[in-house]
Amino acid sequence: METFSYVKAPSIDKALASASQAKFIAGGTTLVDLMKLSVEKPKTLVDINLLPLDKIEKLPDGGLRIGAMVRNSDLAWNADVQKSYAVLSEAILSGASPQLRNMATTGGNLLQRTRCAYFREPTAGMPGGYGCNKRAPGTGCAALEGFNRTHAILGTSEHCIATHPSDMCVAMAALEAVIHVEGPKGKRTIAIADFHTLPGDTPNIENALEAGDLITYVDLPKPVEGAKSTYLKLRDRASYEFALSSAAIVARVEGGHIRYIRVAMGGVGTKPWRSREAEAALLGKPATAATFKAAAEAALSKAKPQKDNAFKVELAKRCLVRSLKTATS
Ligand SMILES: Cc1cc2nc3c(=O)[nH]c(=O)nc-3n(C[C@H](O)[C@H](O)[C@H](O)COP(=O)(O)OP(=O)(O)OC[C@H]3O[C@@H](n4cnc5c(N)ncnc54)[C@H](O)[C@@H]3O)c2cc1C
Ligand code: SF4
């Protein structure tokens, strides 16, 4: 770990004023790990734990506002979330461990970085070390020819095939969350679908934030009347493990037909993966096994497996079929 200075911001204005050359620290469960590995080397840390962003509040339009500093445990166990946005609660509780969830925040979870082992390797880009375009642009991607069993099959580029690791973000993609940001250019909102970016030829750029931007809130739209939701996560161990494939579904069925549907996937994409192909194959169709299978085929039709992760194509299809069955039954 390299030396850094540390300030605790007493207000949003003070946090923004100190932010241009700094990194915010919230729960620290991602950032401190990456600093120890010398992947992240901030000169200054701005601690945002005193900011008044730790509330979950109902919005006048029936939606829910989540402060960026709301801990993952508090969000998952919140009564309104459990009642009206069950998919979010299930997704968060499927991730990490209780201790981590007690520290991890909504803003930090949105910005957690890939678990690609080559990204986390300190000697990347050094003679004899692993290249990683995400960590050291232009040094290559060791995962392409390396061990890539856990890597992405959707949204990859020739420069990076890393998966986005978050469970929470997959549920938020299905719920169409909106992220509030405050920064040097003022306040703005970003739809979750536009928040995380594809790797393309700049895998080091991972989201739509600009230098000094602070995430303040995440808004969930009003719950869809009559809809059910579910999160299914498939992984190597029953707990404390990232997804090999996951699915977040929000669905409303009337008269045996699917009248509202949102499908998002985790563990397979370079960003939380909303599948519009699956949604198009489901909307208005009878809620049957044949429809679910067709939707799963559509969702994975553009999959590009690597040498070690072809199994994810079939796993993701089965994950979708099973979660669609649960959400529509
Ligand atoms: C062993 C282990 C297992 C895990 N398993 C899972 C899992 O199965 N599923 C899963 O989804 N996650 C998992 N996680 C990741 C965990 O969810 C994240 O570490 C956590 O959500 C990050 O939140 P944080 O508040 O600690 O972020 P921090 O580490 O404090 O910050 C992360 C990043 O976000 C930035 N940041 C934080 N808040 C803001 C803000 N308000 N505005 C702007 N920037 C901000 C920081 O500058 C930093 O770059 C695991 C982590 C560990 C260590
Ligand atoms: S997959 Fe992405 S993060 Fe992993 S080594 Fe390649 S460039 Fe780096």
Side-chain angles (χ1 to χ4, degrees), residues 259-278:
R259 300 300 177 197
Y260 179 94
I261 187 77
R262 293 291 181 269
V263 176
M265 293 189 280
V268 288
T270 50
K271 59 182 267 183
W273 199 259
R274 171 99 176 259
S275 179
R276 307 223 182 227
E277 293 92 345

Side-chain angles (χ1 to χ4, degrees), residues 56 69-79 81-82 89 92-93 95 97-106 109 168:
I56 302 174
M69 289 305 298
V70 170
R71 307 286 161 177
N72 286 176
S73 300
D74 294 333
L75 185 56
W77 294 113
N78 175 272
V81 173
Q82 293 215 312
S89 179
I92 292 172
L93 292 176
S97 64
Q99 292 91 338
L100 284 160
R101 295 193 296 263
N102 287 345
M103 286 303 291
T105 62
T106 307
N109 197 318
M168 184 195 84

